Amino acid sequence: DAMCAGGARPGWIGYIAVEDIDAALSKLASLGGKTLMGKTEIPTVGWFAMAADPQGAPFQLLQSLPERQAQSDPPAGTVGKVGWRELAAADWEKAWDFYQAMFGWKLNETYDIGPMGKYQLWRAYGENADGGMFTKPAEMPHPAWVFYFVVHGAKAAAGRIEAAGGQVLMGPMEVPGGGWVINALDPQGGAFALLSGTP
C-alpha cells in the first residue's frame, strides 16, 4: 500500500545473475546505474539487490549460492518459461552500451521496425538471441523490461487472458521467425507478454 501511494504500480521485474553482487553493485554505480535497494540475503538462495539502468528501467541482481548455480534451467520453449526479454528504452543504443559493459552481452541481428526505428536483438551467452531492445514511443511513460511467457496457441491464450479478467493490448501478431506474440495486462495492471510458435 505504501509503495502504491508513492506512485508504484504492479509489474514484473527480472533477475540478472552475477557472480559477485558486491562487485556488481560497484560496477553499476560506475556505469551510471542506481541501487534502489541494497544487497539483501534470501536464506538458502543467495543475495539480491534492486537496481535501475541509467535510463531508469528497473531490474534485480542475483548472486545465487553455489548449490543453486549448479541447477539447470528447463529447455528453451518450455511452456510457462520466460522465452523472451524485451527492453523499451529511452534510447536503446545508450542502453545497450550500459548492458554490454555491465554484463558482457553480445549483439545479434538488427531489424528495421519502420517509424519506431530499430529493434536490436542480443544474447547473454550462446549463439541464440535471448531478447531485444528498442527506443520506446513517446507515449510510453518510462523505460521498462517486458517478459514474454511461452504458451502453445496464441488465440487460445488471448481468450484465457480475457476470461481471467486481464486485457489484451495487442495481438496475436506474427513476428519474424514465425512466432506469435500478445501484449497484455493482468487484472491488477501488470504488463506482460506471451510468445507462441502457433497462432
Side-chain angles (χ1 to χ4, degrees), residues 118-144:
K118 303 294 183 183
Y119 189 86
Q120 178 63 57
L121 274 56
W122 54 270
R123 66 188 190 274
Y125 52 86
E127 297 302 317
N128 296 323
D130 294 300
M133 58 179 64
F134 64 101
T135 297
K136 69 177 184 64
E139 60 268 22
M140 187 174 177
H142 52 78

Side-chain angles (χ1 to χ4, degrees), residues 135-154:
T135 297
K136 69 177 184 64
E139 60 268 22
M140 187 174 177
H142 52 78
W145 285 93
V146 175
F147 301 96
Y148 287 69
F149 298 93
V150 177
V151 295
H152 284 322

Side-chain angles (χ1 to χ4, degrees), residues 75-94:
T78 299
V79 170
K81 176 182 170 67
V82 173
W84 195 252
R85 305 133 192 93
E86 184 176 85
L87 176 64
D91 180 323
W92 81 260
E93 291 179 286
K94 290 181 180 178

Side-chain angles (χ1 to χ4, degrees), residues 26-184:
S26 178
K27 189 174 186 180
L28 175 81
S30 74
L31 293 171
K34 292 183 180 179
T35 299
L36 303 179
M37 186 175 74
K39 176 182 175 182
T40 304
E41 184 177 6
I42 311 172
T44 75
V45 175
W47 298 267
F48 79 99
M50 184 179 287
D53 68 26
Q55 297 178 32
F59 59 90
Q60 305 269 23
L61 298 168
L62 177 67
Q63 178 188 341
S64 298
L65 293 171
E67 56 269 28
R68 287 276 183 167
Q69 294 176 5
Q71 295 178 0
S72 60
D73 288 336
T78 299
V79 170
K81 176 182 170 67
V82 173
W84 195 252
R85 305 133 192 93
E86 184 176 85
L87 176 64
D91 180 323
W92 81 260
E93 291 179 286
K94 290 181 180 178
W96 170 252
D97 290 340
F98 167 80
Y99 286 100
Q100 193 282 326
M102 183 73 198
F103 301 111
W105 295 350
K106 305 295 183 184
L107 293 176
N108 270 43
E109 298 87 357
T110 305
Y111 292 95
D112 187 334
I113 52 175
M116 291 183 65
K118 303 294 183 183
Y119 189 86
Q120 178 63 57
L121 274 56
W122 54 270
R123 66 188 190 274
Y125 52 86
E127 297 302 317
N128 296 323
D130 294 300
M133 58 179 64
F134 64 101
T135 297
K136 69 177 184 64
E139 60 268 22
M140 187 174 177
H142 52 78
W145 285 93
V146 175
F147 301 96
Y148 287 69
F149 298 93
V150 177
V151 295
H152 284 322
K155 290 179 182 177
R160 292 195 301 273
I161 290 171
E162 293 175 340
Q167 180 183 355
V168 174
L169 301 177
M170 183 184 72
M173 179 181 73
E174 190 173 10
V175 293
W180 296 79
V181 299
I182 297 168
N183 288 89

